[in-house]
Amino acid sequence: MSDRLERLLRAKFREAGRQYARARDAYREGRDAETGDEDRTAIPTAIPRDDDGRLRIVCRREADRRAVAVDAEGRPACFEAGHPDCEGCVEDLHDGIVETW
């Protein structure tokens, strides 16, 4: 691949990433302003739970189905601080868009 084409593709991918981040942030701000949701540790009630009250989620790191308890800060028991998959899972969990089973 020529250097010119490679630079062009990288620039376009970076711009697409920035545009995605702006759209995501605008969506979250609009949703939170509409609902008045200031508590980012709250777990939406629409997320399925098992008989013991644990969340039924699909782990991003291990790609398996899990039933996990959630701590007071809204993090699943399997959460590992600093791991990008775990951090993203917690954000999606609070947004109510985490993959479930």
Side-chain angles (χ1 to χ4, degrees):
M1 183 180 319
S2 74
D3 289 338
R4 184 176 177 191
L5 180 59
E6 187 175 336
R7 282 192 311 269
L8 175 68
L9 287 175
R10 285 179 191 239
K12 292 298 180 184
F13 282 133
R14 277 194 301 270
E15 180 55 35
R18 286 188 210 105
Q19 187 175 7
Y20 169 77
R22 285 191 301 267
R24 181 192 62 215
D25 293 343
Y27 168 78
R28 286 180 180 167
E29 287 174 16
R31 185 202 57 221
D32 292 348
E34 181 179 300
T35 62
D37 183 15
E38 298 299 325
D39 183 13
R40 297 301 299 153
T41 62
I43 304 297
T45 57
I47 296 177
R49 297 177 184 264
D50 68 1
D51 294 336
D52 297 326
R54 298 175 300 185
L55 298 177
R56 295 183 343 181
I57 63 173
V58 176
C59 176
R60 287 183 177 191
R61 271 176 73 181
E62 305 297 328
D64 64 352
R65 295 176 177 179
R66 296 182 177 189
V68 294
V70 178
D71 66 12
E73 296 180 19
R75 297 178 305 207
C78 57
F79 176 78
E80 183 180 316
H83 193 283
D85 288 336
C86 292
E87 299 286 344
C89 179
V90 169
E91 287 180 20
D92 289 349
L93 189 62
H94 293 172
D95 290 343
I97 57 172
V98 69
E99 187 174 352
T100 62
W101 52 280

